Amino acid sequence: MPIPSDLRSRKRLATRQAISNAATRLFFVHGFDRVTVDEIAAAANVGRMTVFNHFPRKEDMFFDREEEGRELLRAALRQRDPMVAPSETLRRLMHRLVLEDSPYVTFSAAGQGFIATVEGSDTLKARARAIRDELAQVVAQALTDCTGRDAHDPLAHLAASLLLATWSVALIEAHRAFRRHGDAQQARASFLSLVDQGHGGLKAALAGTPYA
């Protein structure tokens, strides 16, 4: 996220990050559903209301990069080379994130803790599905914005749904690969291979449209 220039905003961002870090540590150790907001507030050395000022829902402390991820996708399409199709722009973005070791596509022991925490909570699983659906809407809107198409273009929504399905499967399978072998390079290769295959299918499905 962009670093605010004024002191008050920097302090607010630091407090938010401290709360999220404290919450995540507790979630990893005890499980999401067993941790209370009061315990998080105590661990972060802030008041209960301060926690809610930064995070309306407990699950927002766990998925604290959600808005950052949305803006990453919007920016990629907003700044794309007009000679490169939107779907190709997003495929290249996935490759760049892997190259940069982005936290969105890092496959590690810590990442296994994240996945295990999600798998152990129905609340987090439901929120993860909701985030996926919300991201599909963001991508559909960004696709129509960057191509000048109608915001309700069903092909944009088809493209977005296929993209999110591809990325979801690629992430899950890459984390499973790391769980089996403990090899981050192999997990990254699995992720990119599935991304490329999925994008190939999307390109074929949307041939002749401005999205592919």
Side-chain angles (χ1 to χ4, degrees):
M1 296 177 68
I3 299 175
S5 57
D6 62 286
L7 180 60
R8 180 177 297 180
S9 294
R10 291 202 302 272
K11 285 184 176 179
R12 179 175 175 79
L13 184 60
T15 299
R16 184 182 190 278
Q17 191 61 56
I19 294 169
S20 175
N21 291 345
T24 300
R25 286 194 296 270
L26 290 171
F27 296 154
F28 277 20
V29 174
H30 303 292
F32 177 83
D33 298 311
R34 294 181 179 178
V35 177
T36 68
V37 172
D38 287 334
E39 289 170 334
I40 294 167
N45 197 30
V46 299
R48 177 185 176 88
M49 289 310 300
T50 299
V51 173
F52 283 117
N53 285 339
H54 289 275
F55 298 99
R57 296 171 297 190
K58 195 171 79 168
E59 52 266 42
D60 294 336
M61 303 178 215
F62 190 76
F63 295 113
D64 65 325
R65 291 180 173 271
E66 178 188 347
E67 182 52 40
E68 183 181 348
R70 294 182 187 198
E71 181 53 31
L72 187 69
L73 295 171
R74 292 189 193 103
L77 290 174
R78 190 168 58 240
Q79 300 165 7
R80 75 181 178 93
D81 181 341
M83 300 301 293
V84 178
S87 63
E88 175 62 13
T89 296
L90 292 175
R91 188 191 72 83
R92 293 181 187 183
L93 172 63
M94 295 299 118
H95 279 258
R96 178 168 64 81
L97 292 178
V98 169
L99 184 64
E100 295 174 352
D101 197 24
S102 164
Y104 295 110
V105 289
T106 296
F107 307 106
S108 63
Q112 290 301 300
F114 184 92
I115 296 299
T117 303
V118 174
E119 291 176 342
S121 168
D122 288 339
T123 300
L124 288 180
K125 285 188 285 190
R127 183 60 192 143
R129 290 191 293 268
I131 289 172
R132 180 193 60 200
D133 293 343
E134 290 163 10
L135 283 175
Q137 294 299 316
V138 168
V139 172
Q141 181 66 59
L143 286 171
T144 57
D145 286 346
C146 76
T147 57
R149 302 274 283 200
D150 183 86
H152 301 292
D153 183 2
L155 290 176
H157 291 275
L158 174 60
S161 295
L162 291 173
L163 286 167
L164 265 297
T166 291
W167 300 339
S168 295
V169 170
L171 276 172
I172 291 169
E173 292 304 321
H175 280 294
R176 285 176 177 168
F178 183 86
R179 185 180 302 171
R180 288 194 301 270
H181 308 293
D183 187 331
Q185 184 173 351
Q186 183 175 344
R188 288 192 293 269
S190 171
F191 174 76
L192 291 177
S193 175
L194 286 168
V195 163
D196 289 347
Q197 286 185 296
H199 277 256
L202 182 148
K203 185 176 180 180
L206 295 172
T209 76
Y211 308 122

